[in-house]
Amino acid sequence: MIPQNLIHKLPKLQTPLYFYDMELLQQTLDSAAKASRHFGYHIHYALKANFNVKILESISATGMGADCVSGNEIIKALQSGFHPGKIVFAGVGKSDEEIRLALEKDIFAFNCESLQEIEVVNEIAASLGKKARIFLRLNPDIEAHTHKNITTGTAETKFGISPLETELYLKQQEHFNHTELIGLHFHIGSQICDFDVFRELSLKVNEIQDHFEANGIQIQHLNMGGGLGIDYKNPTQNTIPDFKGYFETFHQHLKLRPGQQVHFELGRALVAQCGVLLSRVLYIKSGEHNRFAIIDASMTDLLRPALYEAYHKIENLNNNGNTDAVFDVAGPVCESSDVFARNIPLGKTVRGDILAIYSTGAYGQVMSSAYNLRSPARTLYSDEME
Ligand SMILES: *Cc1c(COP(=O)(O)O)cnc(C)c1O
């Protein structure tokens, strides 16, 4: 994950820096593509996890589609080689301009998240003389057993159409003659490692399908969303997620109708492990109870620890001898939550050492901000190194 030629460059490295292992990315994509092909499933990469053009181009080259959550993501996906016919558009707050753009670009489908959104999509499609293909994003009320801020499929979240609005939709369906209902969509959360959750989702989807059929509606496509988790604890040993086991779970439990197509929107699982945030130790200081390593990366480069109390494995690449020295690792930003880890064994650590913060390829660089007027981190791709 950290190649030898990069280790040699450490003293001169300009930090903070996002390093992307493009070979690992390719292996991960190949593994996911092979597993999905086995079952005839379609993958739409969730652009929001990482939208660096080089990464998008690697992914579009595999023939995967894209899952976009804004008009700008649709434009970026098209520029990076994704086929419009493989783009899905999700999000609870699509603006009129974004809907118009998606219709003009003739994307595969909208994942609609409210009854009113369907009305607006229908209206705009009518004004353009088009018919919008839509999925209903339904809220199956399933607990993903992940952090509360990345849970999206329970009744109290803002995501998806509630059972109440679904019934209203079924009653009014024929009024929306500039939309075509082609599928049902579900996305219940992120960083899900317990496959039982996906089994539970599949069983719920079977019930929901029966209900739609009882109302005379045949479903051509099922989109099961994303959410497959990665191993943040052992990023260097467990680099590629169990795509086969993931798809196998759906294969075993989903009751598919003849000819029905199944879609997935993977983000994190495809790109998280190929990214490593490298940061230099600026200062070591002793507090009342703990010792701090203050580093030059901050929550403006990697927000996940501050936002979700997320764990990222951190190692000192200078490896000054393996003592039991324990540190809190913190960034320079004026916020108490600008801390990457507490009480972690870094070994002997001194000013100038380089720390590797692993598993930062997803929801890392894309969440950067300029808070405190900080400069953005640099980027280095493994296939662009001398
Ligand atoms: C974020 C998101 C995804 C991707 O989630 P991961 O956990 O990164 O796989 C998929 N679908 C929708 C609708 C999303 O919002």
Side-chain angles (χ1 to χ4, degrees):
M1 199 170 291
I2 308 267
Q4 211 49 42
N5 54 346
L6 182 60
I7 297 285
H8 295 314
K9 287 189 191 340
L10 289 184
K12 284 200 224 116
L13 214 58
Q14 302 226 49
T15 52
L17 175 136
Y18 270 98
F19 174 75
Y20 292 102
D21 180 341
M22 298 305 279
E23 203 174 311
L24 176 57
L25 172 64
Q26 197 56 52
Q27 287 166 2
T28 308
L29 295 173
D30 291 345
S31 166
K34 182 165 173 235
S36 69
R37 218 177 296 124
H38 180 75
F39 297 106
Y41 294 164
H42 308 277
I43 300 178
H44 306 262
Y45 167 63
L47 250 81
K48 73 175 192 283
N50 188 312
F51 45 66
N52 290 10
V53 172
K54 254 186 86 93
I55 289 181
L56 294 183
E57 287 174 347
S58 298
I59 299 176
S60 69
T62 66
M64 286 180 193
D67 166 39
C68 299
V69 291
S70 71
N72 288 342
E73 282 195 359
I74 294 174
I75 293 170
K76 189 83 152 197
L78 292 171
Q79 286 168 346
S80 314
F82 288 95
H83 191 279
K86 293 182 180 176
I87 295 179
V88 294
F89 184 19
V92 291
K94 302 174 186 78
S95 72
D96 294 18
E97 290 71 35
E98 290 174 318
I99 292 169
R100 200 166 294 121
L101 171 87
L103 285 165
E104 281 164 0
K105 299 295 181 191
D106 216 10
I107 65 162
F108 171 54
F110 292 79
N111 293 332
C112 293
E113 305 219 15
S114 67
L115 187 55
Q116 194 165 35
E117 181 192 329
I118 297 170
E119 288 166 13
V120 172
V121 169
N122 187 66
E123 239 169 68
I124 296 176
S127 73
L128 295 173
K130 296 204 167 207
K131 197 157 192 170
R133 287 171 292 275
I134 66 167
F135 282 62
L136 302 184
R137 177 174 181 176
L138 300 179
N139 189 330
D141 198 14
I142 286 183
E143 177 50 65
H145 303 294
T146 183
H147 189 272
K148 65 179 185 333
N149 291 8
I150 51 175
T151 294
T152 57
T154 56
E156 59 277 6
T157 69
K158 69 176 177 181
F159 297 100
I161 302 179
S162 65
L164 178 77
E165 288 201 351
T166 305
E167 293 313 308
L168 287 173
Y169 172 79
L170 289 173
K171 289 204 188 88
Q172 310 175 18
Q173 223 222 119
E174 59 274 18
H175 300 310
F176 304 123
N177 47 19
H178 283 272
T179 64
E180 182 191 0
L181 177 65
I182 63 165
L184 302 179
H185 172 238
F186 306 86
H187 174 68
I188 57 171
S190 198
Q191 183 51 21
I192 299 167
C193 295
D194 177 359
F195 285 1
D196 268 353
V197 171
F198 296 121
R199 182 182 57 89
E200 207 188 322
L201 171 63
S202 302
L203 300 179
K204 195 71 181 252
V205 169
N206 293 341
E207 280 174 32
I208 294 172
Q209 271 221 88
D210 290 343
H211 180 66
F212 272 77
E213 280 186 355
N215 280 275
I217 296 175
Q218 302 297 320
I219 300 298
Q220 302 160 44
H221 299 269
L222 293 176
N223 183 338
M224 307 307 289
L228 173 61
I230 60 134
D231 191 345
Y232 282 100
K233 294 267 152 58
N234 298 297
T236 46
Q237 290 96 316
N238 191 7
T239 48
I240 299 183
D242 180 10
F243 295 109
K244 192 153 171 277
Y246 171 70
F247 291 127
E248 182 73 45
T249 306
F250 291 97
H251 177 71
Q252 275 181 15
H253 300 288
L254 269 183
K255 270 199 285 181
L256 296 185
R257 313 305 196 245
Q260 206 165 41
Q261 302 289 304
V262 186
H263 303 254
F264 293 87
E265 301 166 336
L266 296 175
R268 185 191 314 271
L270 297 179
V271 295
Q273 298 292 33
C274 78
V276 182
L277 175 57
L278 298 173
S279 178
R280 187 169 264 111
V281 176
L282 295 174
Y283 302 106
I284 300 294
K285 69 177 195 176
S286 299
E288 194 73 32
H289 304 291
N290 29 6
R291 268 185 352 137
F292 291 94
I294 307 294
I295 65 175
D296 64 2
S298 80
M299 65 193 283
T300 62
D301 306 300
L302 176 66
L303 186 59
R304 298 187 70 256
L307 190 61
Y308 316 124
E309 300 161 315
Y311 172 87
H312 285 270
K313 185 178 168 124
I314 304 179
E315 268 178 354
N316 184 339
L317 296 182
N318 290 84
N319 193 11
N320 302 312
N322 216 350
T323 70
D324 297 331
V326 161
F327 291 87
D328 286 9
V329 178
V333 163
C334 306
E335 292 288 342
S336 306
S337 58
D338 187 22
V339 172
F340 290 108
R342 294 191 192 276
N343 260 310
I344 58 160
L346 277 185
K348 180 167 177 261
T349 297
V350 298
R351 173 175 161 83
D353 284 355
I354 302 281
L355 304 190
I357 307 177
Y358 290 102
S359 319
T360 47
Y363 307 110
Q365 206 169 7
V366 284
M367 285 192 181
S368 299
S369 78
Y371 186 40
N372 286 206
L373 214 49
R374 283 176 50 85
S375 305
R378 292 176 160 74
T379 311
L380 179 64
Y381 298 96
S382 60
D383 59 357
E384 288 180 356
M385 287 171 64
E386 298 95 54

